[in-house]
Amino acid sequence: MIGVFLCGCDGEVSERIELKWLGEVAERDPDVGYLETDEHLCSKEAVRKIRSIVESKNLDRIVIAGCSPRTHEKIFDDLAPIVEFANIREQAAWVHPEKEEATRVAADILQSAIVRAKLAAELEAVRVPIEPSCLVIGGGVSGMQAASDLSAQGYRVYLVERDERLGGRVKRLSMTFPTISCGFPCRHDCPECELTPKEEELYASEFVEILTSTEVMEVEGRIGNYHVTLRTPEGVREIKVGTVVIATGTKTYDPSRIPEYGYEFEDVITSIELEDLYMKHRFLGGGGELRRPSDDAIPKRVDFIQCVGSRGEKGGNPYCSIVCCLYGIGHARAIKEMHPACEVYLHFTNIQAPYRGFEEYYKESESLGVNFVRGEVKLVEKGEEGLVITYEDVDLQKSFEEATDLVVLSVGQEPSDGAKELAELFYRELDPDGFFTEVNQKIVREDATGVFVAGCALGPRNIRYAVADGKIAAENALALLKKGEFEMEGIMPIVDDTKCIGCNICGNLCYFGAIGVTEEIAEVVEGKCRGCGICAAACPEKAITLTQFDDEEITAQIEVFARAGEVSG
Amino acid sequence: MKILVFCCDWCSYPGADLAGILRLEYPPEVRIIKVMCSGRVDPMLVLDALRQGIDGVMVTGCHPGECHYVHGNMEAERRIELLRSIFERSGINPRRVRIEWISASEGEKFAEVTRAFKQEIDEIGPINQGEIDAAEIIHDVFSSERARLVLGASRRAIELEGVDPLWYKGVLERTVREEVLRERILRELRKSGALSAHELAERIGEPAKEIFWNLIAMKRRQIILDIGIVDDSLKFAIQEGV
């Protein structure tokens, strides 16, 4: 017996739709055995009431008519074995201002939900076991954090890094801003630094296996059971893991793509090369000073150019790279501290300093003598001595052509090489910029892949947020690992083996490898299917039925709509 | 007037919801059926709607490259394109079906395209009996093996085996047209018992030569049989048990 619950949504629906009439339409259906109208179905009291009615009236199917299932599906979906939704708020009350029309549309929507409820079969959840291990791809701060959190809970972690060493880009930084915790004059490899202890901790852990100079070649399997083929310096190796964290980070923008910035000149360097310069002099014993590459002279003037390859400046990437403003300012200050006589200019269009303490840090820099110049840098050329920079100052509405000793390009971040291939291996989507798409960006849904993405692979991040991401990914993976099994939604194709002719059209269409002919007829791989139903729509023999959204349900809905006029008059 | 819109769970259904959240108006003739992916929409379902008298069917999905299932929307597009080209020669106005890409953030677009579709259906008028009959025939074609095999194998042929897409499209359209003709032949035979190619040509309005070749093909597949020469012409009838 079907129970129908109509929600007035505090007037949002009840003032725009004649719920009484809707109730009559529902009651005309002989299978509907219970009807209830409430103004606030999603309240605790109403939910409790539905639960008790379902029990006392022995309802095995209910229809909730009100807001879109995308809003409150989770509140209702365990109240009865079968729960269907009639979206009469977003798709009727709110789009048809005429009450009569809205009511007619709502009646059709309600009836189509009722027929779905009649035909729906109870979905049998598919349970797949989760292998108690995790593969972390990328040994930057994000991946290191994830590996550390996972191993702390006693799960086996394979930490794969393409480079020879862990640490990612952070390893190349001589200091971080604005919290100069491991900064000047703390030296890169000194044990007080944050990175090295973390690295040592990971190497010491009996649960973590660190595989450097290693790349992922092939991936097979599904949530809870991935077979991954790795290319290690010792040769090809296969591992079996239950979950995966992708933390492949970013690479920096190649400034030679913007010829006017003169990157070909020796004294035009990127911010990362500036870090290398500091490091070089630290190791040579001249720590605490900056010498330019061409002649090892201490520069008398340094110009920073911001947004190189970011925010659409000069044909660069359209997005903001997040970190460059702060590290540009940080370096400018550091240079000023090392060499107070050195003039430091920072050319910018907008300073993006939205995090806690960043704005203050920026403001303070102005008083420390860093010259902030708003405006475009037109050209960097070689002069008779050193470089010549042509720039405009928007505030003064003037252009300048001045000699300088060193130009630092604050390069932005771009997706790492190989992100696309990796995304394909794990069936992940990339956004138009080439970063991994964040799951649940628009829709809150449970992950059904066991693959989590962290850090800059999702888009530019600063260190703190990359580390936080690593923690979040580890948490998500841990939640799965601790459960030991995963329950899937259960929308699945079922192959009728008396009808299947083994043409493998389904296999060629399924991107996820969830269905296909291995021997004679098509077989479904549990745990891989995502329920799209493309296979069922294409099967030449109609041998594939779906546990939800089956032809029977859809044609019944079509029928409701086709004969709608006859019913409502 | 009735308009059916198939919405995918990831893009166009939330897009339709957003139209509601933004309180945008769209025609009350629109009814929505949710599927997980636009690639779930079997041509049979579209034809089922038309043969039941629904005046227009729109399939909506994620923008190309944004399909949650990677290429489901492209399969949907292939099917709708095929239907439109078949409709053109079968007496159904091809404008009765269309495909649109609507992202979850395009509530405005959902309202716009449904309004535009309504206007288009207004222009071409309600579906007539001839169109409903034709939809019935094409529905049967798309529930038969041959048309479904050639359509279903499109992706394999074009993407995996490198077959020229235009050439394959031609094959696909020819196959379905042929099947439509054979279905019509069968219907005539079912109605009138035994008929010759010329008699069929007269009733169906297609050249006798083409009908004859199809009769031979159908005979080879043991769907029909020739019952010999009656009144100076070779007559065909439906094989028993078909």
Side-chain angles (χ1 to χ4, degrees), chain B residues 5 10 13 75 92 142 169 172 175 200 203 215 220:
Chain B
V5 180
W10 299 90
Y13 191 86
E75 287 303 310
I92 304 178
F142 275 100
K169 214 174 142 198
L172 189 51
T175 310
L200 280 164
R203 287 167 202 227
L215 286 167
R220 207 178 299 143

Side-chain angles (χ1 to χ4, degrees), chain A residues 22-315:
Chain A
L22 222 57
E24 285 167 21
V25 169
E27 280 182 319
R28 238 177 272 161
D29 194 306
D31 288 331
V32 173
Y34 185 85
L35 178 77
E36 173 85 35
T37 308
D38 196 290
E39 274 304 313
H40 210 134
L41 268 191
C42 57
S43 69
K44 193 182 275 181
E45 295 73 30
V47 169
R48 208 177 284 150
K49 194 168 156 197
I50 297 173
R51 204 185 293 276
S52 79
I53 288 167
V54 165
E55 210 167 287
S56 65
K57 304 272 174 199
N58 217 0
L59 303 173
D60 57 341
R61 287 138 208 266
I62 60 170
V63 172
I64 305 287
C67 60
S68 171
R70 302 174 47 79
T71 5
H72 286 334
E73 188 176 10
K74 286 267 170 273
I75 297 180
F76 303 106
D77 66 358
D78 65 339
L79 292 179
I82 286 163
V83 182
E84 288 292 338
F85 295 87
N87 184 352
I88 59 168
R89 190 179 74 175
E90 276 84 346
Q91 295 182 2
W94 283 353
V95 286
H96 307 307
E98 281 283 323
K99 193 169 186 177
E100 203 180 307
E101 273 171 4
T103 306
R104 212 173 58 229
V105 173
D108 286 359
I109 295 174
L110 177 61
Q111 287 184 76
S112 107
I114 293 172
V115 294
R116 277 181 60 90
K118 281 185 208 177
L119 294 168
E122 204 176 324
L123 290 184
E124 218 172 287
V126 179
R127 286 196 178 79
V128 291
I130 307 288
E131 192 77 24
S133 56
C134 185
L135 164 67
V136 179
I137 306 169
V141 285
S142 210
M144 286 167 74
Q145 185 62 49
S148 153
D149 286 6
L150 283 155
S151 62
Q153 299 285 328
Y155 291 98
R156 176 131 201 88
V157 180
Y158 299 92
L159 179 55
V160 168
E161 167 58 49
R162 175 160 67 181
D163 207 11
E164 288 167 6
R165 271 194 58 191
L166 297 180
R169 187 156 327 104
V170 175
K171 153 182 94 214
R172 266 178 91 176
L173 305 181
S174 59
M175 47 193 148
T176 56
F177 310 103
T179 48
I180 314 187
S181 59
C182 64
F184 247 43
C186 166
R187 297 302 169 246
H188 195 58
D189 274 329
C190 81
E192 281 90 349
C193 167
E194 292 208 8
L195 196 65
T196 315
K198 194 113 239 169
E199 197 177 344
E200 282 163 355
E201 184 191 303
L202 286 169
Y203 271 104
S205 166
E206 56 175 313
F207 295 109
V208 184
E209 185 174 342
I210 296 172
L211 298 154
T212 49
S213 307
T214 297
E215 286 188 63
V216 175
M217 285 165 69
E218 263 171 73
V219 178
E220 250 181 66
R222 47 141 178 90
I223 181 169
N225 185 11
Y226 283 104
H227 292 261
V228 184
T229 313
L230 302 170
R231 191 190 295 117
T232 72
E234 291 81 40
V236 173
R237 179 164 166 201
E238 274 187 43
I239 56 169
K240 206 165 107 181
V241 291
T243 55
V244 179
V245 173
I246 296 176
T248 45
T250 49
K251 63 175 180 188
T252 49
Y253 184 85
D254 173 11
S256 56
R257 279 144 72 183
I258 306 174
E260 53 264 48
Y261 286 158
Y263 184 55
E264 77 252 38
F265 307 129
E266 218 179 338
D267 289 335
V268 179
I269 59 174
T270 67
S271 36
I272 290 289
E273 287 159 352
L274 177 66
E275 306 276 5
D276 294 346
L277 272 187
Y278 290 141
M279 300 306 293
K280 185 176 139 197
H281 288 286
R282 274 184 207 170
F283 289 123
L284 288 176
E289 55 183 37
L290 172 66
R291 291 172 180 274
R292 67 176 188 183
S294 59
D295 55 4
D296 266 346
I298 292 173
K300 291 189 193 68
R301 168 168 168 161
V302 180
D303 283 72
F304 284 84
I305 304 176
Q306 297 302 110
C307 294
V308 177
S310 304
R311 303 180 70 216
E313 298 289 333
K314 297 200 191 286

Side-chain angles (χ1 to χ4, degrees), chain B residues 167-181:
Chain B
W167 182 83
Y168 197 87
K169 214 174 142 198
V171 170
L172 189 51
E173 287 177 12
R174 267 199 311 282
T175 310
V176 178
R177 282 210 189 97
E178 226 168 62
E179 285 296 305
V180 171
L181 183 58

Side-chain angles (χ1 to χ4, degrees), chain A residues 25 127 150 152 169 185 227 292 309 334-336 342 348 356 370 397 404 409 484 519 543 559:
Chain A
V25 169
R127 286 196 178 79
L150 283 155
R169 187 156 327 104
H227 292 261
R292 67 176 188 183
I335 293 170
K336 209 67 197 159
C342 179
F348 71 102
R356 178 94 190 101
V370 177
Q397 298 213 329
T404 183
L409 305 174
E519 280 168 32
E559 211 186 312

Side-chain angles (χ1 to χ4, degrees), chain A residues 504-506 508-509 538 540, chain B residues 74-75 77-79 82 142 146-173 176:
Chain A
N504 199 31
I505 280 176
C506 50
N508 291 136
L509 282 173
Chain B
M74 296 293 103
E75 287 303 310
E77 187 182 37
R78 195 195 315 279
R79 293 173 194 151
L82 175 64
F142 275 100
R146 185 159 169 247
R148 295 184 71 85
L149 257 175
V150 184
L151 173 59
S154 304
R155 189 182 155 72
R156 169 160 64 203
I158 295 164
E159 312 266 316
L160 306 179
E161 285 164 14
V163 174
D164 178 47
L166 272 177
W167 182 83
Y168 197 87
K169 214 174 142 198
V171 170
L172 189 51
E173 287 177 12
V176 178

Side-chain angles (χ1 to χ4, degrees), chain A residues 16 89-98 101-102 105, chain B residues 14-28 30 32 102-115:
Chain A
R16 294 176 172 87
R89 190 179 74 175
E90 276 84 346
Q91 295 182 2
W94 283 353
V95 286
H96 307 307
E98 281 283 323
E101 273 171 4
V105 173
Chain B
D17 273 359
L18 186 58
I21 293 162
L22 299 171
R23 309 296 197 279
L24 300 171
E25 237 186 289
Y26 58 79
V30 169
I32 293 167
I102 298 162
S103 81
S105 59
E106 291 177 325
E108 191 116 10
K109 186 170 180 193
F110 185 87
E112 265 166 35
V113 298
T114 46
R115 273 185 232 132

